[in-house]
Amino acid sequence: MSHGDKVDQMPPGFELAAASANCAIAAMVNPSRRLFAIQFHPEVNHTEHGRDILGSFLAATHAKPEWTPGSMVEDALARVRAQVGADPSAAVVAAVSGGVDSLVAAALVHRAVGDRLTCVFVNNGLLRAGEPETVAQTFRDALGARLVAVDAVEEFLEALSGVTDPEQKRKIIGTKFIRIFEREAARAAGQGAAARFLVQGTIYPDVVESSGPERQVAAKIKTHHNVGGLPADLGFELVEPLRLLFKDEVRAVGVELGLPEALVWRQPFPGPGLAVRVLGEVTKERCDVLRGADTIIDEEIRAAGLYEAIWQSFGVLLPVQTVGVMGDERTYADVLALRAVHSKDGMTADWVPLPYDLLATISSRIVNEVKGINRVVYDISSKPPATIEWE
């Protein structure tokens, strides 16, 4: 244990089951009362035999393995139908992006309510290269749901102008999204279908790190734009069918729904997009620089056959400039941090020891092909203590 808390004395009837150098009572059991207690994290990837420990606990408690992808889908559909009701005039809008969370959430709600759902995709100028075209094709081919595309690039970039604080960025983006969805709902109402419900792809790590209302005892790590970043005067009732699921469970639900595996297993992308990967002020020019670098990272990770083996791989544009040389000319340009991590649910993560030759290729291509970057560094921090995203 590295948190500073410890058990000094076992209660009567308990026996010591495990200890470590800095935790004298790491686990204890009371066999007669069938009580088991641990003071470490068996659920995180760092813990050796962690899943075996959890498996033994489940066996000892005679818990039934009923939490399956199929049961998750049926549970989510029942909750969605109960929440939105059967009134066909109560329209539902879904906030969709290029990510798996919003795609799976929209697919669930579409299965539950059919044509009452309108998916709204907002191009905020903070997306990956080619994302608007990819989203349109995805919803046309894989979902068959009605899609409304909104170009709000200038609106978002203007709202973020001069803003450098990451918490403020997230709150601005969350509020701006809601205002745009309200506009689209008003347009739908003008066509005879008032939108009362807003579908979001919120997942449990968003709730945990934002210290959502059901997590009052949890410390707030960062405000997620779709949890703590929403305005107080929210004009919708939120529909969040994935709110209690981790990312690996969301993927399992997506496969169960029959969504293409290439989309379900796509690497995660943060809701605030490049705003939390462009450190400092967010501008179109800096986003374009980062998009250029990210395209190269994606190409080389795929060419090395590592894309699906890595949880996330991306670049972070730092507000730091360094001296370089191109040909015989002096340069003074930005630094890019390369990040690649292994994870299962996003709650913990280990940095990936990418092969040196791959790191060299990525660095060389970025410095030579992306104007505005003259140095690449590699992030070798795990979560915890670092987070996956830099902001």
Side-chain angles (χ1 to χ4, degrees):
M1 287 295 292
S2 58
H3 297 268
D5 303 311
K6 64 178 180 178
V7 175
D8 288 320
Q9 183 176 352
M10 291 183 290
F14 277 83
E15 302 171 2
L16 182 66
S20 67
N22 64 344
C23 189
I25 305 173
M28 59 185 180
V29 300
N30 185 323
S32 63
R33 298 176 61 190
R34 299 185 62 75
L35 295 177
F36 311 88
I38 57 175
Q39 187 175 333
F40 58 93
H41 290 281
E43 78 281 6
V44 302
N45 291 331
H46 307 108
T47 301
E48 189 177 7
H49 305 304
R51 291 188 173 273
D52 295 333
I53 294 170
L54 290 176
S56 296
F57 172 75
L58 294 173
T61 58
H62 304 294
K64 296 180 180 179
E66 296 175 339
W67 189 237
T68 64
S71 72
M72 292 183 217
V73 169
E74 292 307 314
D75 179 65
L77 290 176
R79 285 187 287 109
V80 169
R81 287 169 180 147
Q83 181 179 2
V84 305
D87 182 0
S89 66
V92 184
V93 294
V96 300
S97 65
V100 62
D101 300 333
S102 66
L103 173 63
V104 173
L108 274 169
V109 175
H110 187 248
R111 179 170 292 191
V113 304
D115 290 341
R116 288 171 60 188
L117 176 69
T118 298
C119 297
V120 179
F121 167 68
V122 178
N123 182 1
N124 57 8
L126 308 170
L127 303 171
R128 290 172 279 203
E131 198 79 79
E133 297 78 12
T134 299
V135 170
Q137 182 177 353
T138 296
F139 279 82
R140 182 177 63 249
D141 299 344
L143 212 59
R146 183 186 304 114
L147 178 69
V148 175
V150 180
D151 185 346
V153 174
E154 292 186 9
E155 196 171 341
F156 274 86
L157 291 178
E158 182 178 348
L160 291 167
S161 177
V163 178
T164 59
D165 179 73
E167 284 288 281
Q168 190 178 356
K169 287 181 187 179
R170 289 173 175 270
K171 290 178 180 178
I172 288 172
I173 291 168
T175 298
K176 186 62 64 177
F177 268 125
I178 291 300
R179 298 307 175 221
I180 290 172
F181 295 134
E182 286 173 343
R183 288 205 307 258
E184 292 306 314
R187 290 175 184 170
Q191 299 171 3
R196 287 171 39 202
F197 302 96
L198 174 63
V199 179
Q200 291 195 144
T202 306
I203 63 174
Y204 197 52
D206 301 340
V207 178
V208 173
E209 292 187 333
S210 298
S211 187
E214 62 267 64
R215 296 280 302 184
Q216 289 300 327
V217 297
K220 183 170 73 173
I221 307 302
K222 57 188 177 185
T223 295
H224 285 258
H225 78 291
N226 57 339
V227 183
L230 299 176
D233 60 340
L234 182 66
F236 295 101
E237 182 177 337
L238 291 179
V239 179
E240 297 174 313
L242 310 178
R243 190 177 177 90
L244 298 180
L245 301 186
F246 290 98
K247 179 74 76 172
D248 55 329
E249 295 171 321
V250 173
R251 295 192 196 280
V253 168
V255 173
E256 182 72 16
L257 290 169
L259 296 173
E261 293 206 11
L263 298 175
V264 170
W265 290 99
R266 197 177 187 197
Q267 289 187 3
F269 187 67
L274 300 184
V276 292
R277 293 180 178 175
V278 171
L279 274 57
E281 184 177 10
V282 180
T283 65
K284 180 182 182 304
E285 292 72 25
R286 298 192 76 209
C287 287
D288 286 342
V289 168
L290 183 52
R291 271 188 281 265
D294 263 339
T295 298
I296 292 172
I297 294 169
D298 184 80
E299 289 174 354
E300 294 300 332
I301 292 290
R302 288 179 185 275
L306 296 175
Y307 182 83
E308 292 187 359
I310 294 174
W311 173 264
Q312 247 173 311
S313 50
F314 57 91
V316 181
L317 191 63
L318 307 185
V320 176
Q321 292 192 313
T322 66
V323 174
V325 58
M326 293 289 287
D328 295 326
E329 298 295 324
R330 175 187 186 274
T331 64
Y332 194 57
D334 289 336
V335 176
L336 181 104
L338 174 62
R339 181 81 158 137
V341 297
H342 287 312
S343 184
K344 185 173 180 61
D345 53 23
M347 295 302 295
T348 62
D350 290 315
W351 63 277
V352 179
L354 291 177
Y356 288 152
D357 58 345
L358 177 58
L359 288 171
T361 299
I362 291 174
S363 175
S364 177
R365 282 196 60 192
I366 289 174
V367 170
N368 283 282
E369 297 176 28
V370 182
K371 186 178 181 180
I373 297 174
N374 69 354
R375 192 178 300 269
V376 176
V377 298
Y378 191 47
D379 182 351
I380 57 170
S381 307
S382 293
K383 176 184 180 179
T387 54
I388 295 176
E389 299 292 344
W390 279 43
E391 288 192 340

